[in-house]
Amino acid sequence: EAGVTQFPSHSVIEKGQTVTLRCDPISGHDNLYWYRRVMGKEIKFLLHFVKESKQDESGMPNNRFLAERTGGTYSTLKVQPAELEDSGVYFCASSLRRGATNEKLFFGSGTQLSVL
Amino acid sequence: GNSVTQMEGPVTLSEEAFLTINCTYTATGYPSLFWYVQYPGEGLQLLLKATKADDKGSNKGFEATYRKETTSFHLEKGSVQVSDSAVYFCALSDLFSGGYNKLIFGAGTRLAVHP
């Protein structure tokens, strides 16, 4: 069974450009999460989808970030326009059901974003 | 608010040495506690977890005990191997302030084990 897949693995862009990150969760997983790690610091929650609906987007830093999950399958995270402080590793994770204490969260290997 | 503090790295050890990575937390509710590991080139993987006070999580020779009185969840392994070289993240989640999979992570501790 395929795991959580993220594209691209690395992206280097200039300040002011637009970048779109993609996440394919494990098939059948309703819950999809975005996290990011900036400058080697803490990994921070960005948002949570349940199917196609945004359940919690309290971690989104500002309106330059737009996440979508059309059809409740894969998700995209667009940064427009990108700023230097957006550099970091963006992780996607998925899980089957929400809330159960035995629920396992599966992470992708991340997208390393560098804004120059 | 909830937070996690873990010891800064890198931690450099010789093979078969004893490992401790300290983790303390601040939480207003009754959090679940986790250790995640990221091996080079891979995604985060759950290493172990504990969901209530005094629980001990264990996996692959690693263990951590949920200590409510000291708000700690230190990771230990009696004899590390070169293959344990990775970045280790302590994390918590609170069902009452975000849900089980809305994780709050520490900054990560890089472990390098040499032969």
Side-chain angles (χ1 to χ4, degrees):
Chain A
E1 177 183 299
V4 177
T5 310
Q6 293 187 244
F7 305 96
S9 57
H10 293 82
S11 180
V12 181
I13 61 172
E14 292 187 353
K15 176 182 170 181
Q17 289 185 322
T18 297
V19 63
T20 300
L21 314 181
R22 173 171 168 146
C23 169
D24 286 70
I26 293 173
S27 177
H29 280 196
D30 286 344
N31 296 286
L32 187 149
Y33 303 80
W34 284 98
Y35 287 84
R36 75 170 178 176
R37 188 184 191 208
V38 173
M39 293 291 290
K41 295 185 178 176
E42 298 88 351
I43 300 171
K44 292 194 174 181
F45 168 85
L46 295 178
L47 86 159
H48 168 209
F49 284 99
V50 177
K51 297 184 180 180
E52 67 276 7
S53 299
K54 291 176 185 174
Q55 188 71 28
D56 181 349
E57 51 185 331
S58 61
M60 295 289 266
N62 51 60
N63 59 9
R64 294 186 294 103
F65 289 75
L66 175 65
E68 294 180 322
R69 192 182 181 196
T70 307
T73 54
Y74 70 90
S75 174
T76 58
L77 180 64
K78 180 162 51 174
V79 186
Q80 179 181 30
E83 299 290 343
L84 299 178
E85 64 264 25
D86 301 331
S87 297
V89 182
Y90 289 76
F91 292 102
C92 177
S94 72
S95 69
L96 187 59
R97 291 181 301 277
R98 178 173 180 243
T101 56
N102 60 353
E103 184 65 2
K104 191 171 180 181
L105 193 60
F106 295 85
F107 279 85
S109 56
T111 294
Q112 173 77 58
L113 175 64
S114 298
V115 183
L116 307 179
Chain B
N2 297 343
S3 66
V4 173
T5 303
Q6 63 182 104
M7 64 188 285
E8 291 187 22
V11 173
T12 304
L13 295 172
S14 298
E15 206 164 24
E16 298 183 5
F18 184 86
L19 169 71
T20 300
I21 301 178
N22 290 336
C23 172
T24 56
Y25 67 90
T26 301
T28 53
Y30 301 92
S32 295
L33 302 174
F34 307 84
W35 277 100
Y36 277 82
V37 58
Q38 185 181 21
Y39 298 104
E42 299 184 14
L44 291 162
Q45 302 173 26
L46 177 65
L47 181 59
L48 53 84
K49 68 178 183 182
T51 56
K52 62 183 188 297
D54 300 325
D55 270 2
K56 178 185 283 188
S58 61
N59 186 25
K60 299 181 182 179
F62 291 89
E63 58 183 35
T65 302
Y66 189 140
R67 301 282 189 203
K68 196 168 191 291
E69 64 276 13
T70 55
T71 61
S72 65
F73 193 55
H74 304 321
L75 182 68
E76 296 182 336
K77 186 175 185 182
S79 176
V80 294
Q81 305 299 312
V82 172
S83 57
D84 294 326
S85 299
V87 182
Y88 292 81
F89 294 91
C90 185
L92 70 81
S93 69
D94 186 343
L95 274 177
F96 297 101
S97 61
Y100 184 69
N101 281 326
K102 184 178 180 180
L103 297 167
I104 295 170
F105 285 91
T109 303
R110 181 175 297 279
L111 170 66
V113 181
H114 298 289

